[in-house]
Amino acid sequence: MELRRGILRREPDIFEIGRKGHVGYSLPGGEGAEPSLPEHLKRSEPPRLPTVTEVEAVRHYTRLSHWNHSVELGMYPLGSCTMKYNPKLHDTLTRMPAFSRMHPMMDDASITEQLELLKNLEDALCAISGFDAVTLQPPAGAAGEFTGLAVIKAALKKRGEADQRIRVLVPDTAHGTNPASVVLNGFKPVSVQTGPEGYLTVDMVREHLDDTIAALMVTNPNTLGIYERELKEIAEEVHKAGGYVYMDGANFNALMGKVRPADIGVDVMHFNLHKTFSTPHGGGGPGAGPVGVTSELEPYLPVPRIVQDGDDYRLDWNREDSIGKVHAFLGNFDVFVRAYAYILEYGHHLETVTERAVLNARYLRARLEDVLEIPYDTDTLHEAVFTDKTLKKETGVTTMDIAKRLLDHGVHPPTVYFPLIVPGAFMVEPTETESKADLDYFVDAVKSIIQEAHENPELVKSAPHTTGIRRLDETRAARKPVLRWTPAPDSNSQ
Ligand SMILES: Cc1ncc(COP(=O)(O)O)c(C=O)c1O
């Protein structure tokens, strides 16, 4: 049987399904149906459009959608990127006319209820994190980092120390966007090496502290999934030296309801709503990376601020120390509706999200530890990072090969080769939304691949075998993506 149009197989001509005479529309014919256009505006030749019927077109696009993995098809355990299921109820809420019919240019008086929702979300994030104020404006985690560091810069300027305090300490377990945000704000990143336990100690930080320190920027839990257990003492030291503590809170789904960062001395933190509060992550955005700060730093937050005036809410632009705007209008409003709904659903039990996320990650770690090495013994929280070091030596099979072979099992691979401090890193984050049955499926798939690596390594090294597209030249695909279908020369004449 020919599998030319099968769901999984891809043959070179899968895009050439046009047949002469096939059409996907019906227009009224007869007298008056011809538009009365001047002759010179009429086409001299028919357009080169695919000649397919409606059902062929629908099946074509549906087939393509099945070639892509999504969190709605199966587990998507990307470490650090956090792909959790997004409840459909939240999508429905965003389509309520009060939200979907809002226009960005509406004045404050016409959107006072919508502003109330945003203020409630800000207040909820303050309550969860312990900060005194939150801005929702930044459109992503990295944009939150940029904003938070700009706030620190503005505060240092006000103190008259911006020229002197230019160094920001960034541990080697930080997310990759952290040093970039440091540089974009005109600071100098200073790498701090973590020890064999995988977390920072007071001594490691202390040796870098002097009066040129602007801040410590620490991802917590860090990119090894390890909690920074000395952060409270470290924060005290950084404050004594006159610096601020920035916590990358993108991994807050490992701490929510358990630790309030402001209580352990953090001055600024961004949230990743798409990582913690189950809003869509799709295509790099639109997302939201709200930033929380202590009262000392509140005057520098972006404008406008949402303020309550009696029963009404309005936007306050009149804040002379503000760093200005970091995003158009109010930010990505739909994302705020979804995140607020998630918080309200859990109410006072948000810690159950954390507990399930951590339990799931620890379960995977415990079940895979005997077949894949863990480079740091320290307990981990919401994710686990493995290394291919020994497997590669024994079989030649690498992290990339395991990732590709997982596709044959219908599972999206975890994050690979990040963090950089782990050779051949295989970084798994199951999230709280996966069931035990799905976790077990993933474990069984990884274990069977590792068995194959020992018995028939070529099978793993040449994977994937069943996907629409096989192994790509990933560099070329990223640098020179082919995103457009171009009709074959004779596609209209078949
Ligand atoms: C720890 C950490 N920090 C920052 C970011 C950057 O967030 P975004 O991708 O929204 O810019 C991520 C991304 O997932 C992250 O995992």
Side-chain angles (χ1 to χ4, degrees), residues 291-325:
V291 174
V293 293
T294 56
S295 56
E296 180 193 339
L297 296 172
E298 196 269 345
Y300 309 102
L301 285 179
V303 279
R305 301 284 300 136
I306 301 162
V307 291
Q308 187 171 3
D309 248 352
D311 285 341
D312 288 336
Y313 291 80
R314 65 176 175 82
L315 297 174
D316 179 9
W317 292 84
N318 192 15
R319 301 170 71 85
E320 63 182 274
D321 289 329
S322 164
I323 59 165
K325 261 189 131 317

Side-chain angles (χ1 to χ4, degrees), residues 5-295:
R5 296 185 195 167
I7 283 179
L8 291 175
R9 282 215 169 278
R10 183 197 170 175
E11 299 300 333
D13 64 347
I14 196 72
F15 283 85
E16 298 304 335
I17 55 177
R19 292 284 179 276
K20 196 171 180 187
H22 284 200
V23 287
Y25 60 86
S26 56
L27 295 173
E31 204 179 327
E34 279 273 311
S36 53
L37 286 174
E39 260 332 288
H40 72 279
L41 291 180
K42 287 188 180 168
R43 282 183 177 281
S44 52
E45 284 172 21
R48 280 172 60 73
L49 292 173
T51 46
V52 290
T53 63
E54 177 178 323
V55 69
E56 283 167 338
V58 168
R59 285 182 183 158
H60 174 69
Y61 286 109
T62 306
R63 184 180 308 113
L64 291 186
S65 77
H66 283 255
W67 284 2
N68 221 345
H69 191 83
S70 82
V71 78
E72 283 156 8
L73 263 182
M75 197 167 158
Y76 207 140
L78 281 182
S80 209
C81 295
T82 318
M83 293 294 192
K84 57 172 80 169
Y85 176 72
N86 311 135
K88 295 298 157 239
L89 171 67
H90 302 172
D91 295 341
T92 312
L93 293 176
T94 62
R95 289 196 291 272
M96 286 168 67
F99 304 138
S100 63
R101 295 204 187 145
M102 259 171 92
H103 189 278
M105 300 298 276
M106 283 164 89
D107 62 16
D108 300 9
S110 355
I111 54 164
T112 182
E113 283 93 354
Q114 289 86 341
L115 292 179
E116 181 179 358
L117 183 147
L118 300 190
K119 186 74 175 77
N120 288 348
L121 176 59
E122 285 185 5
D123 291 348
L125 294 176
C126 283
I128 297 165
S129 59
F131 290 108
D132 299 307
V134 162
T135 174
L136 301 176
Q137 231 179 83
E145 293 170 26
F146 175 81
T147 305
L149 288 168
V151 162
I152 290 177
K153 185 104 184 174
L156 289 172
K157 212 177 226 170
K158 190 83 178 176
R159 281 165 43 180
E161 295 178 72
D163 292 339
Q164 161 200 339
R165 293 190 178 270
I166 50 163
R167 291 161 72 236
V168 175
L169 306 182
V170 185
D172 55 5
T173 50
H175 192 262
T177 47
N178 291 189
S181 302
V182 169
V183 172
L184 281 174
N185 272 289
F187 290 118
K188 193 168 171 283
V190 176
S191 179
V192 183
Q193 301 212 325
T194 38
E197 313 290 349
Y199 58 86
L200 278 184
T201 64
V202 184
D203 291 339
M204 287 168 196
V205 176
R206 199 184 280 124
E207 68 181 77
H208 293 278
L209 295 177
D210 59 24
D211 62 5
T212 64
I213 283 300
L216 164 74
M217 186 172 198
V218 58
T219 302
N220 190 25
N222 62 33
T223 52
L224 296 168
I226 294 174
Y227 183 67
E228 290 294 346
R229 57 206 67 202
E230 295 197 17
L231 189 53
K232 193 163 186 274
E233 295 74 23
I234 290 172
E236 280 164 17
E237 292 295 314
V238 173
H239 289 154
K240 262 193 247 161
Y244 293 100
V245 177
Y246 185 111
M247 184 176 126
D248 177 331
N251 295 333
F252 200 50
N253 54 330
L255 305 180
M256 202 161 48
K258 300 287 178 187
V259 179
R260 297 196 328 157
D263 296 345
I264 54 168
V266 174
D267 302 292
V268 189
M269 179 185 106
H270 79 267
F271 303 79
N272 272 34
L273 294 191
H274 49 280
K275 290 185 61 175
T276 305
F277 300 105
S278 202
T279 64
H281 208 145
V291 174
V293 293
T294 56
S295 56

Side-chain angles (χ1 to χ4, degrees), residues 366-417:
R367 289 216 49 210
L368 286 174
E369 241 169 347
D370 57 335
V371 289
L372 267 181
E373 230 170 314
I374 287 265
Y376 295 84
D377 273 345
T378 311
D379 274 349
T380 39
L381 293 177
H382 66 301
E383 60 197 1
V385 184
F386 302 87
T387 167
D388 67 0
K389 225 166 138 192
T390 307
L391 185 77
K392 192 172 154 187
K393 216 180 288 163
E394 288 173 1
T395 67
V397 166
T398 64
T399 285
M400 185 58 83
D401 301 325
I402 303 173
K404 296 296 180 194
R405 184 69 173 134
L406 272 172
L407 295 171
D408 290 332
H409 290 263
V411 174
H412 195 285
T415 296
V416 292
Y417 300 100

Side-chain angles (χ1 to χ4, degrees), residues 430-444:
T431 84
E432 75 278 7
T433 57
E434 294 307 318
S435 67
K436 180 170 176 299
D438 284 326
L439 299 179
D440 286 336
Y441 181 80
F442 177 77
V443 169
D444 291 345

